Amino acid sequence: MGFLAQESSRVKTATLTENDFQLPLLGTADLHGPVGLDAHGLEPRGTVRWNYETPELQQHAIRRGEGDLSAHGVFTSRTGARTGRSPKDKFTVRDEVSEDTIWWGKINQPCKPELFEKMLGHAQWFLSHREEIFVQDLFCGADAAHRISLRVVTESAWHAAFARTMMIRPTAAELATHEPEYTVLHTPYLLADPDTVDGLDSNAFILLSLKHKLVLIGGTQYAGEIKKSLFSIMNYLLPATGQLPMHCSCNTTGGNTAVFFGLSGTGKTTLSADPNRRLVGDDEHGWTDHGIFNFEGGCYAKLINLREEDEPAIYATTRMPGTIMENVILGTDGTPDFTDDSLTANTRAAYPIEYIENREPSGTAGHPQNIVFLTCDAFGVLPPIARLTPEQAAYHFISGYTAKVAGTEMNIDKPTATFSTCFGAPFMPRHPGVYAKLLTEKIAGHHSQCWLLNTGWIAGGAGQSDRIKIKWTRALLNAALEGQLADVEYQTDPRFGFQIPQTCPDVPREILNPRNTWEDPAAYDHQADQLAEMFRENFQQFAENTPAPIRNASPEAMSSTST
Ligand code: ATP
Ligand code: MN
């Protein structure tokens, strides 16, 4: 099969062939297992395109006018108004299954079964009446013992390609017996009317029914919503059998494994793609009695200000057909401009993990020797790296501090301090104590060393200096993972209690203690006291149910006049 790419006005390249996609074809088009679409209440009037592979999906996406091809033949979409997740529009159905297992609140918002039934009816009618729909049967979880089988039904070819790229792709043989346990009905162009639908606040809706094992996503074209709702399901399921789901990336040398927890924009994807270590996965993993496994089969990298010299492996994927770029601006010759944030700062590329040269093909790794908490501190207070005791690790895991950087959620444009428990509160259906207990046990059981890495600012904080150079962050990280920081001199931070190395190969000594990087040390002290207070205030909600040694790992302001 070869096809013309010229329907995209920008593209000068003549023909793309399957070989350009660099992922062997599995031959799954039109194959599927025994479960039909009637199982989801669908009666399609139009064409159903089952399990098409990326080259074909890309061809259909171009034909349907869903996006453009870049000069390198990379499909580039625009998501319209919503260029990030819509956490306020996400609800979990409150029923006998979820009632006692979900940590209800502002993050896990409940909705009534009636609302779900109503929107399900709309989605079923809508999908049944499209001229064509796309179905993808996939897996989530590289470890066969813990994976779920899933189906995504969508009206949009590029979203089908996104789901396929991000999840684990079954072989033709696996498809023959594939029965979806969880299903996503995806209707990005079906807008809800919040004036007539009781319980919705906008025209977007992300509704999860654990009882029906069904997710409805509508009114938003942001593709990340698909992968993060599947993540929420895994985060619900795994603790029930004593496994820990984690919002983290992971890489390994084979014998030496590291996981990197962190909220959006803190560097999970950037730092895990390291030429000297095999990438296991960039965002979602489970920790079982056998080690680590990736949930996904693809990566979802931020592209804003991407530079080849800083992130060569990720940069390379933006020139490989089969990658899907979101909200990236193309020049008149079709070349992507990664500095252009006119649609959003949350520009993205989804690519199959096979597009990263140094990767671990099994999607699994051993128990981690090192656990790194990434935080992007906008205040310039936290050191570029600090060593944590297990109690401090638990404290920071429960706190989940970072500063949000522009764009992944709607309406956030400037850095703001935020605490998000387990470094991923929006995706954690259960009480944080459930995840914290599992992490604490696993750290103790496997003697993992924990680190806090500030990938944000020092020297006066955001606005006063540039973000810490990626090459320094990488040097600190590699030194920690390779044991080069085991025996250097350390200082204990007077407020936070963690240990700060005083030397590190390839990193200027002056930047290791942030207080020395501020023009005015008194201003640093003031800001550091304020941050310590913010930690304390945030932790109050967890204090009562947290064991004393972890509670006592709290930072403390040094001056009583700081607040
Ligand atoms: P998400 O959960 O949204 O996928 P993430 O944790 O994977 O977020 P990345 O995609 O790795 O975040 O984004 C980190 C961003 O910060 C990148 O755009 C990277 O170029 C930039 N950056 C700047 N300085 C640093 C640094 N010192 N360390 C890591 N990343 C940095
Ligand atoms: Mn990421």
Side-chain angles (χ1 to χ4, degrees):
M1 181 187 78
F3 54 87
L4 284 180
Q6 276 157 354
E7 287 165 70
S8 165
S9 58
R10 296 164 195 267
V11 171
K12 305 274 192 308
T13 47
T15 308
L16 282 173
T17 68
E18 285 154 7
N19 291 339
D20 295 315
F21 287 81
Q22 300 179 39
L23 199 60
L25 285 186
L26 300 171
T28 55
D30 294 323
L31 297 183
H32 61 86
V35 180
L37 294 179
D38 53 329
H40 322 294
L42 301 178
E43 295 168 25
R45 309 269 172 98
T47 309
V48 182
R49 303 196 192 278
W50 288 90
N51 294 313
Y52 280 30
E53 298 185 68
T54 303
E56 289 163 310
L57 289 170
Q58 178 162 317
Q59 190 181 16
H60 283 290
I62 293 291
R63 172 184 54 80
R64 290 166 52 88
E66 294 174 356
D68 285 322
L69 288 187
S70 78
H72 310 97
V74 171
F75 182 79
T76 306
S77 69
R78 294 190 173 199
T79 64
R82 291 174 189 264
T83 56
R85 288 184 300 102
S86 303
K88 292 200 179 94
D89 301 306
K90 184 184 167 198
F91 299 89
T92 306
V93 182
R94 189 169 195 150
D95 54 27
E96 67 278 11
V97 172
S98 60
E99 176 73 48
D100 298 329
T101 44
I102 302 291
W103 189 44
W104 301 109
K106 275 202 189 110
I107 288 166
N108 292 301
Q109 306 180 94
C111 79
K112 294 200 173 106
E114 293 76 23
L115 172 65
F116 182 80
E117 297 294 340
K118 180 169 189 161
M119 296 315 293
L120 173 59
H122 287 313
Q124 286 166 330
W125 189 91
F126 194 81
L127 286 169
S128 296
H129 287 77
R130 293 308 92 194
E131 262 173 40
E132 57 183 345
I133 54 174
F134 299 84
V135 185
Q136 287 288 319
D137 292 322
L138 302 159
F139 296 114
C140 185
D143 181 341
H146 299 287
R147 77 184 178 191
I148 57 173
S149 56
L150 59 102
R151 173 171 288 172
V152 178
V153 184
T154 176
E155 59 178 305
S156 146
W158 84 264
H159 288 94
F162 175 87
R164 177 168 192 85
T165 302
M166 291 306 301
M167 290 295 129
I168 294 174
R169 298 161 282 280
T171 60
E174 284 172 321
L175 265 190
T177 56
H178 185 284
E179 296 186 29
E181 204 182 342
Y182 286 83
T183 300
V184 179
L185 299 185
H186 184 254
T187 54
Y189 306 106
L190 171 62
L191 304 183
D193 179 359
D195 294 335
T196 60
V197 181
D198 195 21
L200 294 183
D201 293 329
S202 82
N203 41 39
F205 55 95
I206 299 105
L207 308 180
L208 166 62
S209 168
L210 292 164
K211 180 174 162 183
H212 297 294
K213 302 188 172 181
L214 201 54
V215 184
L216 307 178
I217 299 175
T220 170
Q221 298 168 53
Y222 182 64
E225 212 75 79
I226 300 173
K227 79 167 221 126
K228 280 301 188 341
S229 42
L230 297 167
F231 186 39
S232 299
I233 291 170
M234 293 296 274
N235 294 338
Y236 177 75
L237 294 176
L238 259 54
T241 56
Q243 325 299 328
L244 174 65
M246 305 178 289
H247 188 214
C248 72
S249 57
C250 175
N251 63 22
T252 186
T253 60
N256 180 310
T257 299
V259 299
F260 310 90
F261 283 93
L263 286 156
S264 186
T266 57
K268 291 184 300 300
T269 300
T270 297
L271 298 171
S272 59
D274 183 319
N276 299 315
R277 299 176 63 88
R278 311 211 290 258
L279 179 66
V280 180
D282 87 324
D283 198 47
E284 311 173 359
H285 293 83
W287 189 351
T288 72
D289 293 342
H290 303 290
I292 305 294
F293 73 98
N294 189 7
F295 292 171
E296 301 181 294
C299 303
Y300 195 36
K302 284 180 182 288
L303 297 185
I304 199 69
N305 298 325
L306 178 68
R307 298 194 314 161
E308 187 171 15
E309 59 176 295
D310 286 335
E311 304 179 55
I314 294 170
Y315 188 86
T317 69
T318 64
R319 298 178 170 230
M320 296 163 70
T323 291
I324 299 165
M325 295 197 290
E326 236 174 298
N327 294 317
V328 170
I329 303 293
L330 301 178
T332 45
D333 65 349
T335 306
D337 178 357
F338 297 127
T339 65
D340 193 331
D341 64 355
S342 55
L343 291 176
T344 176
N346 190 31
T347 51
R348 294 272 182 171
Y351 47 88
I353 194 157
E354 287 86 340
Y355 280 18
I356 298 288
E357 204 170 292
N358 200 2
R359 67 179 182 281
E360 171 48 51
S362 69
T364 64
H367 298 292
Q369 281 73 15
N370 289 284
I371 294 176
V372 182
F373 298 141
L374 304 173
T375 178
C376 176
D377 179 19
F379 296 112
V381 166
L382 296 177
I385 193 166
R387 191 166 69 180
L388 305 177
T389 64
E391 292 74 25
Q392 288 164 351
Y395 180 89
H396 282 276
F397 180 71
I398 295 168
S399 298
Y401 165 71
T402 194
K404 259 185 197 147
V405 196
T408 294
E409 285 176 24
M410 303 294 296
N411 305 325
I412 296 195
D413 286 327
K414 287 196 186 124
T416 36
T418 177
F419 291 90
S420 178
T421 189
C422 311
F423 295 103
F427 326 113
M428 298 296 164
R430 295 177 187 266
H431 190 278
V434 172
Y435 305 100
K437 183 165 177 287
L438 283 166
L439 181 70
T440 305
E441 287 167 3
K442 293 199 183 283
I443 288 174
H446 302 286
H447 310 289
S448 310
Q449 176 62 58
C450 299
W451 306 87
L452 185 68
L453 206 68
N454 174 11
T455 62
W457 286 260
I458 47 177
Q464 299 300 308
S465 62
D466 289 335
R467 222 172 137 175
I468 297 172
K469 289 186 202 311
I470 294 182
K471 69 170 183 192
W472 289 345
T473 299
R474 271 197 209 284
L476 289 160
L477 189 58
N478 287 334
L481 302 186
E482 289 163 14
Q484 290 169 24
L485 300 183
D487 300 318
V488 302
E489 185 195 336
Y490 278 87
Q491 266 181 19
T492 301
D493 185 275
R495 293 179 185 81
F496 287 83
F498 44 51
Q499 291 191 301
I500 305 174
Q502 299 302 295
T503 56
C504 175
D506 302 324
V507 180
R509 210 189 154 102
E510 312 80 78
I511 73 159
L512 296 175
N513 296 304
R515 191 171 188 269
N516 301 340
T517 66
W518 282 55
E519 263 170 43
D520 177 4
Y524 173 84
D525 288 333
H526 179 73
Q527 190 63 77
D529 277 352
Q530 282 198 334
L531 184 61
E533 281 303 332
M534 283 153 79
F535 268 90
R536 293 180 72 85
E537 203 172 298
N538 170 68
F539 205 83
Q540 279 174 11
Q541 59 184 310
F542 307 112
E544 200 183 323
N545 297 314
T546 304
I550 297 173
R551 217 165 50 220
N552 295 340
S554 160
E556 249 175 86
M558 291 180 72
S559 108
S560 54
T561 55
S562 66
T563 51

